[in-house]
Amino acid sequence: LFPKAGQQIDDLLREADTAMYRAKSAGRNRIAFFELTMQHEVEERLALEQELKEALAGEQLRLDVQSQVDAQGREVAGELLLRWLHPTRGLLPPMRFIPLAEETGLILPLGEWVIEQACHTLARMRRQGLTQSLAVNVSARQFRSEDFVPRVQAILQRTGAPAQQLVFEVTESLFIQDWDNSLRRIIELVKMGIRFSIDDFGTGYSSLSYLQRLPLFELKIDRGFVQDTPQNINNKAIVQSILSMAQHLGLEVVAEGVETQAQADFLRASHCHRLQGYLYSQPQPLQDWLAHIGLND
């Protein structure tokens, strides 16, 4: 609302721009009135963006790993989880900065750094005969960048990593837009040996047609379906349906968010291939995980 006491035209334009940003972030085609708290949020966002750029240039980012176990409880894989050890804000989880990285494009160098670290780690593991795979989350924006495939290929060649032990986790939203290019890129990466996993399966697009057409390796059942099993009959039915479908399609299945023995017993009885959750392992720093699985420096 204009004018306010002492307000200049530059103030009006800044406040209108801030309100517009809020309307767009809420889903577009909306109306938003400027409030002072919005300006504080924008300033906080800009500060965090600059600090994230500095984190990429420095040594503030680290990788944690959460183990995945098979039906016999053997550790067969790990999922890489990005953490930001901020000098003043402390340890920041991905949800605190990944959405910002997506919006600003910083997800591209950030995602490439994670893939490169994963490949260096896999190369070290292969030299000592360790066969566990590592899963890396790849965002839709990162995957759709024009040079994503050649950059991944260059990293594999530079590090000497065994591509067969590298798993890219993508979400179903990747296939809603630009299906043809997504399919082409997945096929190119699979030919290199990389395997693909659909993360949070059942919470998004969930079109069965793409499961038939994509060269996938596994599905990850979202923790939201696992947390109330086996007591919740609806979630129990969903989990069993996913497992049955995956079996017919020849896909591996990982259930994440396993926290109780009852959940683990139900999943094993339902022929789930892999389990991931606090019942078996909390995320731990990469070097600690490597020592745990037997990698010697």
Side-chain angles (χ1 to χ4, degrees):
L1 300 178
F2 181 82
K4 299 174 186 173
Q7 189 176 37
Q8 302 298 317
I9 191 66
D10 289 343
D11 300 322
L12 171 64
L13 292 173
R14 185 183 66 252
E15 292 179 3
D17 190 59
T18 300
M20 181 185 67
Y21 178 82
R22 171 59 62 87
K24 291 171 70 173
S25 66
R28 299 177 180 270
N29 298 321
R30 297 169 183 256
I31 293 173
F33 286 92
F34 174 80
E35 297 175 5
L36 191 58
T37 55
M38 292 182 185
Q39 185 63 33
H40 295 156
E41 290 172 6
V42 169
E43 292 170 355
E44 170 71 7
R45 179 180 177 276
L46 290 173
L48 197 63
E49 178 183 348
Q50 182 58 39
E51 290 164 5
L52 184 54
K53 292 177 182 178
E54 295 169 2
L56 274 164
E59 298 182 352
Q60 298 176 25
L61 300 175
R62 86 174 198 199
L63 291 171
D64 284 4
V65 184
Q66 186 171 36
S67 293
Q68 297 174 359
V69 303
D70 63 12
Q72 288 73 45
R74 296 173 299 200
E75 296 187 50
V76 293
E79 179 185 0
L80 287 175
L81 304 168
L82 185 61
R83 301 288 188 263
W84 180 4
L85 189 57
H86 194 282
T88 58
R89 301 174 190 261
L91 189 62
L92 300 180
M95 286 307 297
R96 185 70 178 85
F97 60 92
I98 290 298
L100 175 64
E102 290 270 8
E103 293 174 18
T104 59
L106 288 172
I107 194 67
L108 302 181
L110 198 63
E112 183 168 337
W113 180 83
V114 174
I115 293 173
E116 182 138 15
Q117 296 305 307
C119 288
H120 279 298
T121 300
L122 287 171
R124 291 175 58 198
M125 291 168 60
R126 183 174 68 171
R127 288 194 291 269
Q128 297 198 22
L130 297 174
T131 59
Q132 288 89 342
S133 59
L134 284 177
V136 173
N137 290 279
V138 177
S139 77
R141 181 164 184 176
Q142 179 186 4
F143 184 85
R144 292 187 182 122
S145 62
E146 288 297 323
D147 57 352
F148 179 68
V149 173
R151 281 183 174 275
V152 171
Q153 186 173 34
I155 292 172
L156 287 170
Q157 293 173 345
R158 185 165 63 248
T159 61
Q164 296 77 10
Q165 289 174 244
L166 181 61
V167 178
F168 280 171
E169 291 189 7
V170 297
T171 60
E172 296 166 283
S173 63
L174 185 67
F175 311 114
I176 297 177
Q177 298 176 341
D178 204 11
W179 160 262
D180 291 334
N181 278 329
S182 295
L183 177 60
R184 174 180 56 79
R185 286 176 185 169
I186 286 179
I187 291 173
E188 290 177 8
L189 291 162
V190 167
K191 286 180 179 178
M192 297 179 197
I194 297 170
R195 298 178 292 179
F196 274 82
S197 173
I198 302 298
D199 197 14
D200 299 333
F201 183 76
T203 62
Y205 186 47
S206 296
S207 170
L208 302 184
S209 62
Y210 78 74
L211 291 180
Q212 294 179 311
R213 298 177 60 186
L214 289 171
L216 298 174
F217 166 63
E218 74 180 17
L219 306 176
K220 290 194 77 174
I221 302 177
D222 183 70
R223 67 181 66 249
F225 298 128
V226 173
Q227 63 184 4
D228 293 330
T229 57
Q231 298 88 350
N232 186 307
I233 59 173
N234 293 326
N235 283 355
K236 181 178 179 180
I238 290 172
V239 170
Q240 289 176 326
S241 297
I242 293 173
L243 289 167
S244 176
M245 177 186 62
Q247 181 179 1
H248 287 292
L249 293 173
L251 298 173
E252 297 279 310
V253 178
V254 178
E256 57 182 353
V258 181
E259 298 182 354
T260 69
Q261 192 61 50
Q263 292 168 349
D265 292 342
F266 159 68
L267 291 163
R268 286 200 187 94
S270 302
H271 308 291
C272 185
H273 304 98
R274 298 184 186 181
L275 310 177
Q276 178 180 343
Y278 284 1
L279 179 64
Y280 299 101
S281 170
Q282 293 194 19
Q284 56 186 312
L286 175 60
Q287 292 305 318
D288 293 348
W289 184 79
L290 290 172
H292 175 68
I293 64 172
L295 182 72
N296 299 315
D297 291 333

